[in-house]
Amino acid sequence: LLFANNEADGAAIPGRVSARIFQGASWLYQVDTEYGRVLVCRPNDGSEQHEEGESVHLALVPPKRRETQNARR
């Protein structure tokens, strides 16, 4: 899950940040949604971070497909 810009970003789930924990290289967020509490880890890249109590939207991200040189055909 990633933070979406707004609810129009695909299959976004609305929620509210209930807690955030600074972990040095990353931020761990607890987001309360209608489906329950979700944990989201976001890198500490110097960008603006979400505040506790802020309304957010979470976007579902499909897994990336990787191929290796030794893949069977």
Side-chain angles (χ1 to χ4, degrees):
L1 291 172
L2 296 175
F3 287 106
N5 292 329
N6 58 47
E7 61 186 302
D9 285 353
I13 301 168
R16 182 171 307 276
V17 176
S18 58
R20 67 179 191 161
I21 302 164
F22 179 65
Q23 298 181 311
S26 62
W27 285 90
L28 179 64
Y29 291 91
Q30 292 180 352
V31 180
D32 292 330
T33 73
E34 64 183 280
Y35 303 104
R37 180 166 285 164
V38 177
L39 298 178
V40 178
C41 188
R42 184 173 179 183
N44 182 22
D45 58 6
S47 63
E48 189 173 332
Q49 300 297 322
H50 297 285
E51 299 288 336
E52 289 185 19
E54 184 176 343
S55 293
V56 295
H57 290 87
L58 303 175
L60 302 172
V61 179
K64 293 181 180 178
R65 182 178 172 192
R66 293 190 296 170
E67 295 194 26
T68 63
Q69 292 178 345
N70 297 326
R72 293 183 183 190
R73 296 183 192 262

